Amino acid sequence: MQMVEGRVDPIKVPKLPFDIISEILSWLPVESLLRFRCVCKQWCLLLTQDHQFIAIHSHRASPLTLQRMSSPGHILYDKNFKFLYHLPGGLLLEMSLKNSRVYRIRNPVIHQVLYLPDAHEGTDQIDIAFNSSTLECKVVCVHGEDGEEVGFEVLTVGKDEQWRPLKHPNQDLLKQHGKQALKQKYWPAACQAEGLGHFTQLISDGKDLYMEIQSLDIWSERFTTNTVPRGFFADLNEVSVLTWNHCLAVRNITEENLNVLVLEDFKEHKWSQNKIIVPLTFLKDRPEWKDEILHAIGTPKSGVLQLAINYVYTDGITKTIILVDYDMSSQTVILKRKPPLLFPYPLPESCWHNPSLIALKGMKSEKAGFSPGLHSMTILAQINQIRNQNAFKLEMAHCYQRNKRRTEPLHCYLLTYQRNKRRRVNPVKASELPFDVITEILSCLPVDSLLRFRCVCKQWFSLIQDLQFIAKHMDRVRPLQFSYALIKQETKKLEAVVDENFKVLEVCSGLFLEKSLNSQVCRIRNPATHQVLYLPNAHESAEIKDFVFNPSTHECKVVCVGEAGFQVITVGKDEQWRPLKRPNQDVPQQHSKKALNLKYLKATNKAEGIGHLVIFIVDGNNLCLEIQSLDIWNECFTTTAVPRGFIVDLRKVLISYWNQCVAFAEIAEGKFNMLVLEDVKEHKWSRKQITVPSEFLKDQNLPNRKASKFIVCDMKRGIIKEVMYLENGKKYLTSTQYKPSLIALKGMQSERAGVEVEL
């Protein structure tokens, strides 16, 4: 506060409209919003009762990791409850392990839970419908076994105190007409928002068999009955249900062919005119899977058939489910998820979870000792303290203006404040935020919002370009999905193609280093800000090898290697590539030595910027290895000779990284013998021996000779996580995540006209 010519100049803070505050809050994490409920009534109503805001926030919130215990057939987020369903809005439906009649709906992020009334004795299946827009929720329980009368009960969460009976069309009618349900099963709703489940019954009237499908609309609590047309399936005992193009369908398997009949419109009783036949070629190698397929989901547009197969462990008792993705066009298995290891106890693991602020009516604190009220009172006390301080400053300003012509000392102003402290003083509004608080909020927003917010004022414009703010923002920003086509060339190289013109070489700090598919043109692109910088053309034989970036100074360097040797360019400074001479470049030729192979390993730590050139040198009958480590920032090499005697055959050595250090390895007697260069400058080596899973050493047949096998191995558990086959020249669409950034290198321009905002 400054006094100029008898006036008080209060601290100026930008006043934000409430719609902008609502937009900013929708990007913040749940734990922050739980604290912000105490700021004012307007914020509290927005965060707890505005369904539209809760839905927007749930869509934008960054996924969190939850710890859980996993074992075959069981997933436990809590040691006393078994996980059943993920609901929209980050809710979990769980069943008690001690009492099968106890169910609950829980939001693990806000630590609130709602226990449902005890379900019917012998409940076999639970289904749920949930509307994330209105937070309306209904639960259906199904009880009964084959040959017995099946009962339905429904509960509207937050309204009903007890389960209500729900009568289905065939209830009590089968016994009256002398009929019997040989098989009956309830199939839960595939989409909780739609709330459409299906109950199938194979009915015998003594002479004939027929199958009925009773579709339950959970929202309206009504059944619609459809009968499977006769003549399509010879034996209805072998008919089961699957999902085909988001519709219910019936299927059977005959002679390694999947026969599908689709119920296209259950309300109009419309079936597909012909059966759909899908050859399942994998059943030739796995005939036992024919009777173990539990469920299937067919998507004709993508051409993928997802199968859930019952897997029995070697003990003959324990079972679990494995998922298989089958390409219907090429008739090959494109992905098979292996079953978890069989342990006598559940194993801890982490999983992604979408958080939300959703709290259903009747939800309470999840556990004793967790009291949002205590934490809220602490936050409220801090806020009130800040408000009182601001009120004191305002009151002191009024006192000074009233007594500015007097000569009383400062304690008189304090006495005046004490006498008038009961007088109402306008508190600081919620929209008048200190700039450090605004900075904290902006650091959690996505890049596209910050690009628009540069126009708010000069202070915000300078902040969004500040290097420290950019680094903080990148640590907190939500990862984005990046789609590309993976192509394996005959040279055993993998290429990630982003469009018809460019392929991705490196991704670092939200910057993409890309090379043209048809020329030597290279560029650095920021897909989040839609800015690009084209590099000078390198030599025709040159190949981009490394790309490093310093997030503190935004300095960037690129290294290429060709017939002329190493070349380097400092992005934003150099207009041409500069030659970089490595040590002993001409020594092998002078001393009659021959370099058989040169392999460059890119820098794993882009901020540190150290790459490695591995050279195989032949001197007569002797073969030796040499490592020339390149410090890209200082543009200098450090030469290290690989110790002899540890690796038997250098021609079969595997070169890779181990814990971000260059390493050499060979497989001998079921173990990896590794030699790791731990310190480049001190030439310090270490030896490691790792047991290789037995499955890793087995020869697995490739689809054809022009394919390669990529294996993901878990060394701690000693298992193979994933096996992927890639054929030469074939595209494999995939995606990964990267962290977007606000980084703009010197010389970057708009990627396309009309994208950049002119200020």
Side-chain angles (χ1 to χ4, degrees):
M1 187 181 304
Q2 298 177 350
M3 293 180 292
V4 181
E5 296 182 358
R7 294 181 301 173
V8 177
D9 186 16
I11 300 175
K12 294 182 178 180
V13 292
K15 297 182 178 180
L16 302 177
F18 190 72
D19 56 347
I20 294 183
I21 291 180
S22 176
E23 178 71 14
I24 293 174
L25 292 178
S26 66
W27 293 98
L28 299 186
V30 173
E31 54 185 7
S32 298
L33 297 181
L34 293 179
R35 297 195 300 268
F36 293 167
R37 291 181 301 181
C38 305
V39 171
C40 62
K41 290 183 178 180
Q42 192 178 23
W43 283 30
C44 182
L45 294 175
L46 175 71
L47 300 177
T48 57
Q49 299 184 17
D50 192 329
H51 296 170
Q52 184 177 0
F53 173 84
I54 293 175
I56 293 175
H57 173 268
S58 179
H59 177 70
R60 296 176 174 178
S62 301
L64 301 177
T65 55
L66 288 184
Q67 297 299 320
R68 68 184 186 185
M69 305 295 289
S70 179
S71 65
H74 289 82
I75 296 179
L76 309 178
Y77 289 94
D78 185 292
K79 63 180 180 180
N80 297 320
F81 282 83
K82 174 185 175 181
F83 164 76
L84 297 180
Y85 296 118
H86 275 294
L87 304 183
L91 300 179
L92 304 179
L93 178 62
E94 299 172 320
M95 181 188 73
S96 173
L97 294 175
K98 299 179 180 179
N99 188 350
S100 61
R101 299 178 61 189
V102 176
Y103 293 86
R104 69 178 187 180
I105 301 175
R106 185 167 65 97
N107 189 329
V109 179
I110 65 175
H111 302 284
Q112 288 194 332
V113 64
L114 171 64
Y115 285 88
L116 304 180
D118 288 355
H120 192 280
E121 189 71 32
T123 295
D124 177 63
Q125 188 68 262
I126 285 285
D127 199 3
I128 191 166
F130 181 77
N131 189 332
S132 57
S133 300
T134 61
L135 301 190
E136 186 179 1
C137 180
K138 284 190 175 185
V139 185
V140 172
C141 77
V142 185
H143 51 86
E145 299 179 354
D146 290 344
E148 298 181 358
E149 190 72 34
V150 174
F152 287 79
E153 291 183 334
V154 65
L155 176 76
T156 302
V157 177
K159 294 183 180 180
D160 298 336
E161 296 182 357
Q162 297 294 331
W163 294 88
R164 295 180 285 106
L166 186 62
K167 188 174 182 179
H168 65 90
N170 287 340
Q171 191 167 346
D172 300 330
L173 294 179
L174 296 180
K175 292 182 179 180
Q176 295 177 7
H177 295 81
K179 298 181 181 181
Q180 183 181 7
L182 301 180
K183 290 184 180 180
Q184 49 193 6
K185 186 173 182 180
Y186 182 82
W187 303 87
C191 176
Q192 279 86 17
E194 185 181 8
L196 183 63
H198 303 278
F199 180 59
T200 60
Q201 285 185 311
L202 180 61
I203 302 174
S204 170
D205 58 359
K207 298 180 181 179
D208 198 6
L209 286 178
Y210 64 94
M211 177 176 284
E212 283 190 354
I213 299 177
Q214 298 166 10
S215 302
L216 170 60
D217 186 344
I218 301 177
W219 294 119
S220 62
E221 303 180 10
R222 294 180 179 178
F223 286 90
T224 303
T225 303
N226 287 275
T227 304
V228 177
R230 298 175 183 268
F232 283 93
F233 302 101
D235 188 359
L236 290 178
N237 287 291
E238 298 180 356
V239 173
S240 185
V241 172
L242 80 159
T243 302
W244 187 270
N245 199 21
H246 305 290
C247 298
L248 185 75
V250 291
R251 54 91 177 174
N252 73 341
I253 299 177
T254 57
E255 299 180 355
E256 300 173 0
N257 290 328
L258 177 67
N259 305 304
V260 180
L261 187 65
V262 184
L263 179 59
E264 297 178 348
D265 192 334
F266 76 97
K267 294 182 179 179
E268 299 295 332
H269 312 285
K270 181 181 178 182
W271 293 83
S272 58
Q273 295 181 357
N274 300 309
K275 286 193 300 185
I276 301 172
I277 301 177
V278 180
L280 302 180
T281 56
F282 63 87
L283 291 180
K284 295 180 181 179
D285 300 327
R286 294 294 185 95
E288 69 276 8
W289 281 4
K290 178 179 178 180
D291 299 327
E292 299 296 337
I293 298 177
L294 301 178
H295 192 57
I297 300 176
T299 311
K301 291 184 179 180
S302 62
V304 176
L305 177 66
Q306 294 180 331
L307 301 168
I309 300 176
N310 192 26
Y311 180 85
V312 182
Y313 286 86
T314 54
D315 62 356
I317 301 175
T318 310
K319 297 181 180 180
T320 188
I321 297 175
I322 59 175
L323 302 179
V324 175
D325 290 351
Y326 180 74
D327 190 342
M328 293 183 286
S329 58
S330 63
Q331 299 181 10
T332 57
V333 175
I334 57 178
L335 181 61
K336 173 188 171 184
R337 300 164 183 84
K338 288 185 173 292
L341 293 178
L342 180 58
F343 281 91
Y345 50 86
L347 293 178
E349 63 179 13
S350 58
C351 66
W352 289 106
H353 179 77
N354 294 320
S356 76
L357 291 164
I358 292 177
L360 301 179
K361 184 179 179 181
M363 274 190 165
K364 297 181 180 180
S365 176
E366 181 180 358
K367 52 187 177 181
F370 177 83
S371 177
L374 295 177
H375 186 65
S376 302
M377 289 300 295
T378 304
I379 300 298
L380 186 59
Q382 295 176 358
I383 293 175
N384 288 335
Q385 183 179 2
I386 296 175
R387 286 182 173 177
N388 291 336
Q389 291 174 357
N390 285 281
F392 175 79
K393 293 178 182 179
L394 293 173
E395 187 66 23
M396 286 293 294
H398 293 312
C399 292
Y400 174 78
Q401 289 179 350
R402 288 195 300 267
N403 301 292
K404 61 183 179 180
R405 295 185 179 180
R406 301 179 185 176
T407 58
E408 289 85 23
L410 179 61
H411 64 84
C412 295
Y413 299 130
L414 296 177
L415 291 176
T416 305
Y417 171 75
Q418 291 293 333
R419 288 194 301 268
N420 297 326
K421 65 180 181 179
R422 293 184 179 179
R423 188 177 62 84
R424 185 174 181 179
V425 180
N426 293 328
V428 179
K429 295 181 180 179
S431 59
E432 298 176 354
L433 302 176
F435 191 70
D436 56 347
V437 177
I438 292 178
T439 302
E440 191 72 13
I441 295 175
L442 291 178
S443 66
C444 298
L445 300 185
V447 173
D448 51 359
S449 297
L450 294 178
L451 294 179
R452 296 194 303 269
F453 292 166
R454 292 182 302 178
C455 305
V456 172
C457 60
K458 291 183 179 179
Q459 194 178 25
W460 284 32
F461 180 80
S462 301
L463 172 68
I464 294 172
Q465 293 183 327
D466 182 71
L467 301 186
Q468 185 177 0
F469 173 82
I470 291 175
K472 179 189 290 188
H473 171 266
M474 191 169 180
D475 289 337
R476 300 178 174 182
V477 71
R478 178 182 180 180
L480 296 180
Q481 204 74 10
F482 162 55
S483 300
Y484 59 95
L486 197 63
I487 303 177
K488 195 190 82 67
Q489 304 295 347
E490 294 184 358
T491 56
K492 296 184 179 181
K493 289 185 178 180
L494 288 176
E495 293 185 351
V497 180
V498 291
D499 55 32
E500 58 183 6
N501 297 320
F502 283 88
K503 63 181 179 181
V504 178
L505 302 179
E506 291 278 340
V507 178
C508 175
S509 299
L511 299 177
F512 285 54
L513 177 62
E514 301 173 339
K515 183 181 181 300
S516 173
L517 296 173
N518 306 317
S519 65
Q520 289 294 101
V521 175
C522 293
R523 67 181 185 182
I524 300 176
R525 184 171 63 96
N526 188 332
T529 61
H530 302 283
Q531 288 188 324
V532 66
L533 172 65
Y534 285 88
L535 302 178
N537 290 342
H539 193 271
E540 292 182 0
S541 62
E543 184 178 353
I544 301 295
K545 288 295 185 180
D546 220 337
F547 170 55
V548 295
F549 178 79
N550 190 333
S552 301
T553 61
H554 284 198
E555 185 180 1
C556 178
K557 286 189 175 184
V558 183
V559 175
C560 71
V561 182
E563 294 179 356
F566 279 78
Q567 290 182 320
V568 65
I569 186 171
T570 303
V571 179
K573 293 183 180 180
D574 299 335
E575 295 182 357
Q576 297 294 331
W577 293 86
R578 294 181 285 105
L580 187 63
K581 187 173 182 179
R582 61 183 176 85
N584 303 329
Q585 187 168 347
D586 301 324
V587 170
Q589 298 178 359
Q590 297 175 4
H591 293 78
S592 300
K593 296 180 180 180
K594 184 179 180 181
L596 283 181
N597 190 13
L598 285 81
K599 182 176 181 179
Y600 184 83
L601 300 178
K602 299 178 181 179
T604 54
N605 188 334
K606 299 302 181 182
E608 185 180 1
I610 297 180
H612 303 276
L613 178 67
V614 181
I615 307 174
F616 291 80
I617 300 177
V618 178
D619 184 6
N621 296 327
N622 297 325
L623 177 63
C624 61
L625 283 176
E626 186 179 272
I627 301 176
Q628 295 181 1
S629 302
L630 170 61
D631 186 342
I632 301 176
W633 296 120
N634 297 324
E635 300 182 8
C636 62
F637 287 87
T638 302
T639 303
T640 306
V642 178
R644 302 192 180 192
F646 183 77
I647 298 177
V648 179
D649 190 355
L650 293 178
R651 289 180 174 84
K652 296 182 180 180
V653 69
L654 303 175
I655 307 173
S656 61
Y657 276 105
W658 180 266
N659 198 20
Q660 295 190 348
C661 297
V662 64
F664 301 89
E666 66 175 356
I667 300 178
E669 298 179 356
K671 293 184 178 180
F672 262 126
N673 297 321
M674 302 190 67
L675 190 62
V676 183
L677 179 58
E678 293 186 346
D679 194 324
V680 174
K681 297 180 180 179
E682 300 295 333
H683 309 285
K684 181 180 178 181
W685 294 85
S686 66
R687 298 181 179 182
K688 300 182 183 296
Q689 196 173 62
I690 300 169
T691 303
V692 182
S694 58
E695 296 182 14
F696 185 85
L697 302 175
K698 292 180 181 179
D699 293 332
Q700 300 186 25
N701 296 327
L702 296 176
N704 55 61
R705 296 181 179 179
K706 296 183 178 181
S708 295
K709 177 174 62 177
F710 296 85
I711 301 176
V712 179
C713 178
D714 189 337
M715 292 296 185
K716 291 184 178 180
R717 298 183 180 180
I719 60 173
I720 302 296
K721 276 190 170 182
E722 184 179 353
V723 179
M724 182 171 57
Y725 299 99
L726 297 182
E727 298 181 18
N728 294 342
K730 187 175 181 179
K731 290 185 178 181
Y732 295 85
L733 298 179
T734 183
S735 63
T736 185
Q737 288 187 337
Y738 81 100
K739 278 205 165 186
S741 71
L742 291 162
I743 295 173
L745 301 178
K746 183 179 179 180
M748 272 190 164
Q749 298 179 355
S750 176
E751 184 178 1
R752 56 191 177 188
V755 173
E756 187 178 9
V757 180
E758 297 293 334
L759 299 178

